[in-house]
Amino acid sequence: MESLDLKMPKYMVYCVVVACLGSFSNGWVIGSANVPGEVTHACENGSAHVSSGAFPDCLPMNTSLWGFAVSAFCVGGLIGGLFGGSIQTKFGRKKTIIFNNLGWILGGLLQGVAVNPAMFIVGRILCGLSCGLGSLATPTYVGEISTIKARGTMGTCNQFAIVIGILLASVVGLPLASVPLWRINYALVAIPAIAQFFLMSGCVESPRYLVSINRIEEAKESLQRLRPNTNIDKEFFGMVEGQLGTAAARVITGMDSASINKDDAKSFDDQIEDGVVTGEEGVRESMNMIQIFKDPLIRRIALTVLALHVIQQLIGMNAVMYYSTTIFNMSFSAEMSKYMAIVTTVVNFASTVLSLILIDRMGRRPLLLIAEAGACLFSVLLIIGYVYNLGALLVVSVFGYVLSFAIGVGPIPWMLTSEVTPVYASSAVGAIATAMNWAMNFLIGQCFPIVFEGIKGYSFAIFAGVAALAFAFTYLKVPETKGRLLEDIVKGFEKSS
């Protein structure tokens, strides 16, 4: 059986699940401040040590400072994403994922024992560093180890784990939304982080990364473990060809377009020494963030990826999620609004499950187009709901918007980042895209309350406009990647340029 026909081998799925524990931690950090937020910064006794002699009951902050404290993890995410490319290129995907957990462990514990707002904010930033680096390293690793037939489903697991983290943090936050239990809610992120720190050591390094650093034999062994009891020669040839060129791939693997002769295969270093492969045909140096904009092909890929990440944030999902309680307050009591916000997270979860099922059946482009059209429609309906104070329409619009986002705009940009970018440029492109994503996240978190206060429900007209432009961009510029080798997707950009 050819490895290209394989769908979900158990060991590969195990590695994907373990890698996505970091995405779960990411989601927990996002959701941990939703429910116990009020008691964290505005409890009855303030900074007095009533419930505990060691810690104040809460950390008094005004609304603006609390808003910054909650979104401070975005600052860490921006920094982590920006430097993540060089980190995962130097140390590899596996080690990066392992040691990235230190930020969640230290940051979570720091928030849990915070005695003043500064400690809490530093803890959020440390968690944000891991969120940013994990946002880059996890989708990269998952995309590089997944089979062609299951790459969409495996890639969606990243977003799925984030949504589960948000949902569980919100649900667990309900019984912990009191003094002094709110501290536990922030510290709990250390548990999945510690679990991943140890479990990830049982996973292999990405074979594509190993090829990129000229560890050819290790790459083949790694791929064989991920594709047990199958013939990996064709897949491995495509993997090597995409990074080293056709001539080098033929020499290294002993394979040409018609046949495979394993006995002729020699190590890459031996071929260099024999003069069969020149240095120019060999390993391509990893590009930095300046070089990717000088190369015409990679610049085109990078701009496509950047546009998708900007769209993901500017389309307004975080504005809807961050302020869903405020939105529901127009139709429900404050207590019921809190529960409706959790129901919104459940809808997000269910929609992501739907995306898992559909993405390798329908493809990336159709789901993305449906999601963007839906986001535009429900943003318009949100405006109508606000203007005419139609509570039922507001609820339906929020749920419809979340459904639209979660089936496409949420998971697909992260997936496409690793699918359309060659390995030698993936770290730099991914780093800029991740940093841009977190920067836009922070921008929305800081600016939306001001815009919302000024123009109320009409603020969603901005998101409707972004969604309409996103639909046009996806239709014209985004390729379908379903069922294609990563290396073939890059060749598609070359042909269309």
Side-chain angles (χ1 to χ4, degrees):
M1 181 181 179
E2 290 290 339
S3 64
L4 295 175
D5 298 322
L6 204 57
K7 190 166 185 181
M8 290 190 187
K10 293 179 181 178
Y11 181 67
M12 181 202 77
V13 174
Y14 169 79
C15 291
V16 169
V17 170
V18 172
C20 287
L21 281 173
S23 304
F24 176 86
S25 298
N26 189 339
W28 191 279
V29 173
I30 294 170
S32 60
N34 286 353
V35 177
E38 192 70 22
V39 74
T40 302
H41 76 284
C43 65
E44 183 180 352
N45 296 316
S47 57
H49 293 239
V50 176
S51 296
S52 169
F55 305 108
D57 281 14
C58 64
L59 310 172
M61 290 178 250
N62 59 36
T63 303
S64 58
L65 182 58
W66 173 245
F68 175 77
V70 170
S71 57
F73 82 101
C74 296
V75 177
L78 171 60
I79 298 169
L82 196 60
F83 292 99
S86 57
I87 292 172
Q88 71 169 5
T89 296
K90 183 175 181 179
F91 298 105
R93 285 40 164 160
K94 178 180 172 179
K95 285 184 179 178
T96 299
I97 290 172
I98 289 173
F99 289 103
N100 185 47
N101 289 290
L102 295 177
W104 284 312
I105 295 169
L106 295 175
L109 294 177
L110 195 60
Q111 289 175 81
V113 301
V115 296
N116 54 55
M119 282 181 68
F120 184 84
I121 291 170
V122 170
R124 292 287 289 180
I125 292 174
L126 285 175
C127 285
L129 287 170
S130 287
C131 288
L133 182 51
S135 295
L136 172 61
T138 299
T140 301
Y141 179 77
V142 170
E144 289 179 356
I145 70 170
S146 297
T147 59
I148 293 175
K149 291 192 173 182
R151 196 173 61 233
T153 301
M154 295 295 100
T156 307
C157 285
N158 172 60
Q159 186 70 16
F160 184 58
I162 292 174
V163 172
I164 292 175
I166 295 172
L167 176 59
L168 284 183
S170 299
V171 172
V172 172
L174 285 171
L176 296 178
S178 62
V179 178
L181 297 181
W182 61 266
R183 295 177 177 277
I184 298 174
N185 197 53
Y186 296 104
L188 281 175
V189 71
I191 294 176
I194 291 170
Q196 187 185 53
F197 185 89
F198 291 105
L199 291 175
M200 194 67 199
S201 59
C203 299
V204 295
E205 178 57 275
S206 158
R208 283 183 168 83
Y209 171 74
L210 291 171
V211 169
S212 75
I213 58 173
N214 193 22
R215 288 159 59 178
I216 305 299
E217 292 304 316
E218 287 180 60
K220 193 166 187 179
E221 290 171 9
S222 175
L223 184 61
Q224 189 67 73
R225 286 191 67 188
L226 292 164
R227 314 284 190 266
N229 306 317
T230 59
N231 185 345
I232 63 169
D233 291 326
K234 287 183 180 178
E235 184 176 4
F236 190 65
F237 178 85
M239 197 176 290
V240 176
E241 182 187 32
Q243 297 186 60
L244 310 181
T246 303
R250 285 174 177 170
V251 173
I252 293 167
T253 63
M255 173 184 176
D256 57 30
S257 57
S259 63
I260 302 173
N261 185 352
K262 295 179 184 176
D263 295 332
D264 290 340
K266 300 176 72 175
S267 75
F268 187 55
D269 290 333
D270 289 342
Q271 300 297 343
I272 292 279
E273 290 174 7
D274 293 345
V276 178
V277 180
T278 65
E280 287 75 15
E281 290 176 296
V283 177
R284 300 182 189 180
E285 290 292 325
S286 294
M287 288 183 166
N288 59 38
M289 285 183 275
I290 297 175
Q291 291 170 329
I292 61 174
F293 290 106
K294 291 182 177 179
D295 183 290
L297 170 65
I298 304 302
R299 180 173 63 241
R300 186 161 178 249
I301 292 172
L303 291 175
T304 301
V305 169
L306 275 172
L308 288 171
H309 280 270
V310 170
I311 287 166
Q312 187 191 63
Q313 293 300 327
L314 293 188
I315 210 168
M317 176 60 171
N318 282 337
V320 174
M321 294 301 288
Y322 286 161
Y323 299 97
S324 56
T325 302
T326 304
I327 291 171
F328 288 126
N329 276 337
M330 292 189 65
S331 303
F332 304 102
S333 66
E335 189 66 23
M336 180 58 71
S337 295
K338 188 187 297 184
Y339 287 99
M340 290 302 295
I342 294 176
V343 173
T344 306
T345 308
V346 174
V347 173
N348 194 7
F349 169 80
S351 305
T352 307
V353 173
L354 183 63
S355 179
L356 272 170
I357 296 168
L358 295 177
I359 199 157
D360 278 320
R361 290 176 170 84
M362 291 181 62
R364 285 52 154 169
R365 262 175 60 90
L367 278 182
L368 203 50
L369 289 168
I370 290 170
E372 288 159 349
C376 182
L377 170 64
F378 289 110
S379 291
V380 172
L381 292 178
L382 274 170
I383 299 169
I384 296 171
Y386 266 112
V387 171
Y388 294 101
N389 196 22
L390 303 173
L393 183 60
L394 274 175
V395 173
V396 170
S397 299
V398 168
F399 290 163
Y401 182 93
V402 171
L403 169 65
S404 300
F405 179 90
I407 63 169
V409 183
I412 291 175
W414 297 110
M415 190 186 311
L416 286 179
T417 301
S418 60
E419 286 190 327
V420 304
T421 313
V423 174
Y424 59 86
S426 63
S427 290
V429 172
I432 288 182
T434 303
M436 180 65 76
N437 193 295
W438 284 98
M440 293 295 104
N441 190 334
F442 183 76
L443 181 69
I444 291 293
Q446 295 300 303
C447 294
F448 182 75
I450 299 170
V451 175
F452 188 78
E453 187 176 348
I455 59 176
K456 301 299 180 184
Y458 293 105
S459 57
F460 288 99
I462 299 170
F463 303 135
V466 171
L469 291 173
F471 183 92
F473 175 79
T474 300
Y475 184 80
L476 296 172
K477 297 293 184 182
V478 178
E480 181 55 76
T481 59
K482 171 191 168 187
R484 299 169 65 189
L485 276 170
L486 301 184
E487 291 73 21
D488 290 338
I489 297 168
V490 176
K491 287 180 182 178
F493 272 94
E494 291 176 346
K495 292 175 184 177
S496 60
S497 60

